[in-house]
Each structure stands twice: as structure tokens, then as C-alpha cells.
């Protein structure tokens, strides 16, 4: 399979929005990062509101001791009545004494340094000098003022790459770096496919071990597993790695194109690729067919939330037969999503940034069958009798790769199925019995 190259004159000009936003906080990326990077601890420096947010977002994990916490800032801290550096040092010392298994401590700023009056990057450097090499300390911003929720992962990976660059690592340079947080099961599936394709020297970033070194050389290539990693991609390119251009591994089409781009880069025989992916692609097609009757012809409206919207929209349109009304994204990284934009159907409305009131008006006028949006908009839309899907679920749920293609389709179909049950609509329920 070949992926159509974007043609500039055919690419629709997006609606550029610069108004009020309705997006989730970048701190929430900690929920999937802490699950993936098993020797890291994420310490948020923020308010009680931040602590409540994380506790609510990670409520499903309350029965196990998590590897994240909040160092709560009080009014006296912000007023300069306490030495915040001393207080942070004491909190970190107590934490590392209690949890000696922590290999990497990640300080996460909940607000810009101008707001919290604390430069976490300098604090991390100072603490690292005290606690390294037993414990590495890095910092990044997860501020909801500055980022959408997926950009928290981007900032973390950029900080992790910078730390790995400053740490001496032995061994050969990686041939291929898969950049972007993938669930363990997805990483294992891709690893097996790479092995069958004869590809070696593959590193996943982030991996399950934060301390494990990453050696980047002039021949290192990397490919994005997520479309929102602009800062992390720039950090790898600054170290000499070169990006493999591809659409993203969502659905059978996206996963096939993603693997093909890798194989073309490393000279893997295309006949071998076709043989390796034949059965996984067949299983993906069968799984997606189970939900196509629910999604075919359905009119879908995407609010900007995660930067995954162009990839998700391409999947819905080309593999599930849905009609796209508007595809909104907080930011369109033209170089990274050019392939995705080229595969969207003619006439689809693109929007970049957000003016939430104007977009709500456009959505109501379009009257879609399904609205993909953040949690803050979903409940009001449901109260109006509209069917919605939470954008954040596409970040929490493993959806990359052949084996997850059916799960991705189900995420879109589920609210339509639920609505059919609630309204006694049975005409489409029978299709997935």
C-alpha cells in the first residue's frame, strides 16, 4: 500500500480560531505515562485543585500505591513567606526515603514558573546533583495554561531525551526509535512484527525503564507513534536522528502504511512485509467490520482536544465509511500530519485552535450524529439529546496497531449503540449481535 502525498493546492485552508478554549489539562498525561514508565515517579508541584484533578482522573487506580503525587503549594508559599526550595527539598528527601525503588523522579509544574514562583528546571538540576546516580531528577511543564493534555507527554519526552543526552550511555546507537507512549501490549505486538521483518536495534521511547540509556547516532531514524510530539521530535532531530515520514498506526490502513514506511527506510523486501502483515491485517478487517454498520454514513464532528483528530478522522472516513463534518485540532503540525490531511475527503472543514462558542454554534447547525469532544462539552451536548464521545478515551486506550483496530472502531460505535438502546432503536443493534 502506498500513501498519497499531500498536494498543497488541494489541502483545505483551516478555520483559524483564537478564542476561548475547552481542553483538558496537560497534567492528565501522567496517568498513562506513570503506567508505562515503571521506574519513574511523577511529583506535581501545584495546588490542591491539581491534586483533586489527578485523584479523580486516576480514580481507577486507588487500590494500588501509585507512582505520582502532588506537592501542594499553600498561600504562604506563593506569598513568599516560606522558602519553597527548602520545602521541595524536604518533600523529595522524604519521598525517596520512603520509595527507594524510584529510579527517576519527575518534577511536573502545574503552572508556569512565573505563577508558582519556582523554576523547576533549576530545582531538578540541584536535586539531581544531590541524589544522582541512584535517582535521576528531571522536570517539565504540564501546565493547563500552556498545554493541552497530550502535550504533557510531549514535554516529558523532550525532557527525557535531554536527560539521556546528558547521561553517558554505552552500547551501539539505536537504528530505529519509536517515539510516543504505547501500551505494553502494543509495544510487544510491534516488537514481534519488527522481529519477523528482520529489524533489529529498535528502541521504544518512552520504554518501561526510564533510566535505560538511549544512544543516537548519525544513522538513527525515528518514527512517531503519536501526532502530537513536536517538541520531542525536535529534541531527537537536534541529536542527529532523522524522522521517517508516515501517517500514524491507527486502523489497518494506518498501521500498514506506518510499517511500510519503516521497511522502505531500512530496505526490507515488500513481499516479506506483505506476508508478515497478511494475517494481522485480516484480523483487523474482521474486527472493524463488526462495527461498520454503526458508523457507515454517520456524520461526525470533531472538537479540538488532543491533536489526534486528523488521524482519527482519516480512520473513520476511509475505513468505517463515516462522513466528516468538521475536524478540529488544537494545533496542526503541518509536517507531521501532511499525509493524514491529504487523505481526508474533499470538502471537509478543518479548524485549528479554538473559539469554543463559535464552534458550538457550527456544531449545532451541522447537527451531527456523533460529536467527539472533551468532557467539559460532552455532558451539555448529551443534555441537549446529542450523542457524544470523550476525546480523552483515545489517549487512555490502546488503539494503535492491527490488533487494536476493532477496539478503536468500538470506541466510536459505543455511544451510538448506547443511544440506540436508550431510545429503543434496534435497527442497528442486530448488526453486532
Amino acid at each position: 500500500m502506498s500513501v498519497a502525498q499531500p498536494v498543497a493546492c488541494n489541502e483545505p485552508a483551516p478555520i483559524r480560531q483564537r478564542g476561548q478554549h475547552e481542553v483538558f489539562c496537560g497534567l492528565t498525561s501522567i496517568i498513562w505515562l506513570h503506567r508505562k514508565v515503571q521506574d519513574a515517579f511523577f511529583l506535581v508541584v501545584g495546588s490542591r485543585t491539581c491534586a483533586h484533578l489527578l485523584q479523580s482522573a486516576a480514580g481507577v487506580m486507588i487500590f494500588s500505591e501509585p507512582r505520582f503525587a502532588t506537592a501542594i503549594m499553600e498561600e504562604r508559599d506563593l506569598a513568599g513567606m516560606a522558602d519553597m526550595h527548602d520545602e521541595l527539598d524536604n518533600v523529595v528527601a522524604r519521598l525517596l526515603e520512603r520509595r527507594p525503588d524510584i529510579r527517576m523522579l519527575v518534577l511536573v509544574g502545574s503552572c508556569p514558573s512565573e505563577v508558582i514562583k519556582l523554576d523547576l528546571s533549576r530545582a531538578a538540576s540541584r536535586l539531581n546533583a544531590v541524589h544522582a546516580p541512584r535517582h535521576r531528577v528531571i522536570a517539565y511543564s504540564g501546565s493547563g495554561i500552556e498545554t493541552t493534555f497530550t502535550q504533557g507527554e510531549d514535554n516529558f519526552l523532550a525532557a527525557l531525551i535531554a536527560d539521556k543526552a546528558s547521561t553517558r550511555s554505552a552500547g551501539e546507537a539505536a537504528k530505529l526509535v519509536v517515539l510516543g507512549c504505547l501500551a505494553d501490549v502494543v509495544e510487544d505486538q510491534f516488537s514481534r512484527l519488527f522481529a519477523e521483518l528482520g529489524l533489529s536495534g529498535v528502541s521504544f521511547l518512552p520504554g518501561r525503564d526510564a533510566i535505560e540509556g538511549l544512544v543516537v547516532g548519525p544513522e538513527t531514524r525515528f518514527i512517531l507513534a503519536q501526532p502530537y510530539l513536536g517538541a520531542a521530535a525536535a529534541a531527537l532531530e537536534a541529536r542527529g536522528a532523522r524522522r521517517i515520514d508516515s501517517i500514524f498506526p491507527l486502523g489497518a490502513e494506518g498501521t500498514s502504511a506506518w510499517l511500510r514506511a519503516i521497511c522502505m527506510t531500512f530496505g526490507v523486501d515488500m513481499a516479506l512485509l506483505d506476508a508478515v502483515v497478511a494475517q494481522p491485517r485480516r484480523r483487523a478487517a474482521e474486527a472493524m467490520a463488526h462495527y461498520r454498520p454503526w458508523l457507515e454514513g454517520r456524520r461526525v464532528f470533531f472538537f479540538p482536544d488532543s491533536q489526534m483528530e486528523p488521524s482519527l478522522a482519516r480512520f473513520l472516513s476511509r475505513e468505517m465509511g463515516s462522513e466528516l463534518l468538521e475536524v478540529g485540532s488544537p494545533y496542526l503540525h503541518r509536517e507531521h500530519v501532511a499525509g493524514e490531511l491529504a487523505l481526508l475527503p474533499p470538502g471537509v472543514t478543518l479548524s485549528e485552535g479554538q473559539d469554543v462558542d463559535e464552534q458550538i454554534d457550527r456544531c449545532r447547525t451541522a447537527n451531527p450524529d456523533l460529536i467527539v469532544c472533551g468532557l467539559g462539552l460532552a455532558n451539555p451536548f448529551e443534555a441537549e439529546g446529542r450523542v457524544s464521545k470523550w476525546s480523552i478515551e483515545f489517549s487512555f486506550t490502546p488503539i494503535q496497531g492491527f490488533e487494536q483496530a476493532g477496539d478503536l472502531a468500538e470506541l466510536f460505535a459505543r455511544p451510538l449503540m448506547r443511544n440506540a438502546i436508550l431510545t429503543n432503536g434496534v435497527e442497528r443493534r442486530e448488526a453486532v449481535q
Side-chain angles (χ1 to χ4, degrees):
M1 170 183 293
S2 61
V3 180
Q5 294 301 311
V7 180
C9 61
N10 292 335
E11 183 180 312
I15 301 171
R16 299 186 185 279
Q17 305 176 112
R18 295 296 181 266
Q20 181 181 351
H21 285 57
E22 183 71 41
V23 295
F24 223 45
C25 179
L27 293 177
T28 51
S29 62
I30 291 172
I31 307 307
W32 65 84
L33 289 172
H34 115 286
R35 184 170 54 189
K36 175 66 180 183
V37 189
Q38 298 171 6
D39 59 354
F41 190 101
F42 294 82
L43 181 63
V44 177
V45 180
S47 66
R48 293 186 186 277
T49 302
C50 301
H52 291 318
L53 169 66
L54 283 178
Q55 187 176 19
S56 299
V60 295
M61 304 177 192
I62 59 175
F63 298 111
S64 61
E65 187 170 23
R67 283 178 287 103
F68 60 85
T70 305
I72 296 175
M73 298 172 58
E74 306 286 0
E75 289 82 354
R76 61 195 300 270
D77 297 315
L78 295 175
M81 298 172 62
D83 189 322
M84 293 173 62
H85 292 277
D86 288 345
E87 292 195 358
L88 180 61
D89 290 358
N90 291 334
V91 169
V92 168
R94 292 197 303 270
L95 173 62
L96 295 179
E97 181 180 3
R98 178 187 174 190
R99 300 288 296 271
D101 56 306
I102 297 170
R103 299 292 306 284
M104 173 170 281
L105 177 63
V106 186
L107 304 179
V108 188
S110 67
C111 293
S113 57
E114 296 83 1
V115 176
I116 64 175
K117 309 297 192 297
L118 179 63
D119 188 332
L120 282 184
S121 296
R122 290 187 178 183
S125 179
R126 185 186 70 253
L127 289 166
N128 193 60
V130 174
H131 297 285
R134 184 173 181 181
H135 310 282
R136 299 287 300 173
V137 184
I138 66 172
Y140 75 93
S141 173
S143 166
I145 298 175
E146 301 173 301
T147 64
T148 63
F149 72 96
T150 52
Q151 286 178 287
E153 177 185 338
D154 189 21
N155 289 346
F156 166 69
L157 290 179
L160 187 61
I161 292 167
D163 179 73
K164 289 179 180 292
S166 65
T167 305
R168 288 180 175 268
S169 300
E172 296 182 359
K175 295 179 181 177
L176 172 65
V177 176
V178 178
L179 184 61
C181 192
L182 295 171
D184 289 350
V185 63
V186 178
E187 179 183 325
D188 291 342
Q189 290 166 6
F190 281 144
S191 294
R192 287 194 292 270
L193 289 173
F194 291 148
E196 292 180 49
L197 292 168
L199 294 170
S200 59
V202 180
S203 295
F204 290 85
L205 192 69
R208 302 173 201 190
D209 182 351
I211 301 298
E212 183 180 351
L214 173 67
V215 182
V216 174
E219 301 304 316
T220 299
R221 306 298 296 270
F222 73 94
I223 191 165
L224 298 177
Q226 308 285 8
Y228 47 77
L229 301 177
L236 274 182
E237 288 171 342
R239 293 185 60 186
R242 291 175 293 163
R243 185 177 66 89
I244 299 173
D245 188 31
S246 174
I247 62 175
F248 295 88
L250 299 181
E253 178 186 42
T255 304
S256 297
W258 191 78
L259 290 170
R260 185 170 294 272
I262 294 171
C263 289
M264 291 178 66
T265 299
F266 291 99
V268 177
D269 184 82
M270 292 297 107
L272 174 60
L273 172 63
D274 292 339
V276 167
V277 304
Q279 289 303 316
R281 189 178 175 104
R282 178 186 58 78
R283 290 193 296 269
E286 291 175 354
M288 291 187 296
H290 194 60
Y291 299 100
R292 188 179 176 97
W294 289 92
L295 296 169
E296 190 170 19
R298 296 298 183 120
R299 302 162 69 249
V300 184
F301 192 106
F302 282 87
F303 277 77
D305 206 61
S306 66
Q307 297 185 47
M308 299 176 70
E309 289 82 12
S311 303
L312 295 170
R314 181 263 306 161
F315 165 78
L316 272 184
S317 172
R318 293 174 62 87
E319 301 205 61
M320 305 309 295
S322 300
E323 179 183 348
L324 304 176
L325 299 177
E326 180 169 325
V327 179
S329 179
Y331 174 70
L332 290 171
H333 195 300
R334 294 301 194 283
E335 184 180 358
H336 291 176
V337 300
E340 300 285 15
L341 296 180
L343 294 174
L344 295 181
V348 64
T349 298
L350 288 177
S351 61
E352 181 179 18
Q354 189 170 33
D355 188 321
V356 67
D357 291 329
E358 291 188 5
Q359 195 165 31
I360 288 173
D361 290 340
R362 293 200 301 273
C363 181
R364 285 172 173 157
T365 299
N367 193 28
D369 299 305
L370 179 64
I371 303 169
V372 183
C373 60
L375 280 71
L377 295 175
N379 284 349
F381 278 134
E382 291 284 344
E384 295 178 0
R386 306 179 192 276
V387 181
S388 66
K389 180 63 186 175
W390 292 353
S391 300
I392 197 171
E393 288 192 70
F394 297 102
S395 297
F396 280 106
T397 309
I399 57 174
Q400 294 82 10
F402 292 116
E403 310 302 338
Q404 283 66 236
D407 297 331
L408 175 57
E410 184 185 10
L411 284 176
F412 286 109
R414 193 180 299 155
L416 296 168
M417 297 163 67
R418 181 185 65 243
N419 184 67
I421 294 172
L422 294 175
T423 58
N424 295 319
V426 297
E427 72 283 356
R428 287 177 178 258
R429 282 184 61 198
E430 296 175 355
V432 296
Q433 293 295 323

